[in-house]
Amino acid sequence: MRRTLERFTLLGPGLAYLTALMVVPLVLVLSYSLFQRGRFGGLVYEPTGENFARLVDPLYLDVVLTSVKLAGVTTVLALLLGYPTAYAIAKLPAKWKTVALIALVLPFWTNFLIRTYAWIVLLSPAGLVNDALTGWGLIDEPLQLLYRQPAIVAGLLYAYLPLMVLPLYAALERMDAELLEAAANLGARPARAFFSVTFPLTLPAVVTGCVFVFVPSIGNFVVPELLGGGQTAMVGNLVRDQFLKARDWPFGATLALAVVALLVVLLMIQAWSARRLQGGRDA
């Protein structure tokens, strides 16, 4: 009895936190999605399945596919940039690792909105990028870099790249260096040792980093709004518009629920792949 009471005492704050900030909001979102929209907004407490049927409407499916494409491109680019970055940090002398990690997370200490506005300064027709290209004689007239999908990808990549680098760095730091020495002693060249030893051992971190980048990218609505000029809508913009503009709370809740379901599926895939990879190494 005493041990049970101690367990509940220790788990109590965490359970209360999860209940208040995750379970209750999810139940509210789920309940909203089951009712009809009122004539002037709000809810009409009459059950309906129409909100879920609207999810497969071609108009909304196109937004979802665009979101998946942009978030997917961002995730791939984050992996291609993040892996060498994490590898380079892991190989630094100990005193420089801290400096590199602080430099990596330093942008997080700045307001996200300000960081996004900074990209407008960089990419605008009179911005630094066009000034540099014009000054070097590479272009005659400023390029239209803003309000296009590549600008959205650049903003998302800048915002979430550390979420790819940090788990990869942690995995590389934990890796036993003697494994690489053994591979070298057996005649493996550095490239062969990397693809036979280093990369397989860091695959769980690769999957984790991809999930960490993909999930917030697909739900982001600030970057598409500011850097896309409102011309490219993503799922986050759609959810926001349903709540604040269309005042269709039931359908907005259904869309939000779909994003949460996608998040759960991705986390399950990440956990499953981590178990498979860990099991393969232990076998």
Side-chain angles (χ1 to χ4, degrees):
M1 183 64 183
R2 182 179 177 183
R3 293 189 64 181
T4 303
L5 185 61
E6 288 177 353
R7 287 177 181 176
F8 273 104
T9 303
L10 293 173
L11 291 174
L15 289 175
Y17 176 85
L18 289 175
T19 302
L21 299 181
M22 193 176 78
V23 177
V24 172
L26 272 180
V27 171
L28 283 174
V29 169
L30 177 62
S31 62
Y32 280 19
S33 67
L34 299 176
F35 295 114
Q36 298 180 21
R37 174 182 182 270
R39 185 176 179 183
F40 302 104
L43 290 176
V44 174
Y45 293 98
E46 296 179 7
T48 178
E50 183 185 351
N51 299 314
F52 291 94
R54 289 174 65 188
L55 287 176
V56 295
D57 187 300
L59 175 66
Y60 302 119
L61 278 180
D62 184 57
V63 175
V64 172
L65 291 177
T66 300
S67 305
V68 171
K69 182 185 73 174
L70 294 178
V73 171
T74 303
T75 303
V76 171
L77 291 176
L79 178 60
L80 294 177
L81 290 174
Y83 204 107
T85 305
Y87 194 87
I89 295 175
K91 295 298 180 186
L92 285 174
K95 64 178 182 180
W96 290 109
K97 287 181 182 177
T98 304
V99 176
L101 290 174
I102 290 175
L104 180 71
V105 300
L106 195 61
F108 276 107
W109 299 350
T110 309
N111 184 277
F112 182 79
L113 199 58
I114 294 175
R115 282 185 281 148
T116 306
Y117 271 114
W119 276 97
I120 296 178
V121 176
L122 290 173
L123 299 179
S124 66
L128 296 178
V129 174
N130 273 313
D131 279 351
L133 294 176
T134 307
W136 293 336
L138 298 177
I139 57 175
D140 296 326
E141 296 181 356
L143 300 174
Q144 182 58 48
L145 301 175
L146 269 178
Y147 311 137
R148 296 177 183 274
Q149 291 188 358
I152 298 175
V153 172
L156 294 174
L157 181 61
Y158 171 70
Y160 299 124
L161 182 60
L163 301 182
M164 177 68 78
V165 175
L166 291 176
L168 287 171
Y169 167 76
L172 289 166
E173 274 289 284
R174 287 198 306 268
M175 201 176 69
D176 190 349
E178 292 183 355
L179 294 173
L180 292 177
E181 293 179 10
N185 291 336
L186 292 172
R189 294 180 180 277
R192 176 68 182 277
F194 174 80
F195 286 108
S196 299
V197 179
T198 304
F199 190 72
L201 289 176
T202 55
L203 264 180
V206 169
V207 177
T208 301
C210 289
V211 172
F212 283 0
V213 173
F214 183 85
V215 170
S217 296
I218 201 172
N220 192 292
F221 62 91
V222 174
V223 172
E225 186 74 26
L226 296 180
L227 301 184
Q231 299 179 31
T232 300
M234 294 181 68
V235 173
N237 302 91
L238 198 57
V239 173
R240 179 207 57 187
D241 290 346
Q242 294 303 316
F243 277 102
L244 301 182
K245 295 182 179 178
R247 296 184 64 78
D248 192 346
W249 292 9
F251 186 54
T254 307
L255 286 168
L257 206 60
V259 175
V260 172
L262 175 63
L263 167 64
V264 171
V265 170
L266 289 175
L267 291 176
M268 289 175 66
I269 291 174
Q270 185 268 335
W272 174 79
S273 60
R275 283 199 304 272
R276 292 270 298 180
L277 293 168
Q278 187 64 41
R281 286 201 296 271
D282 294 340

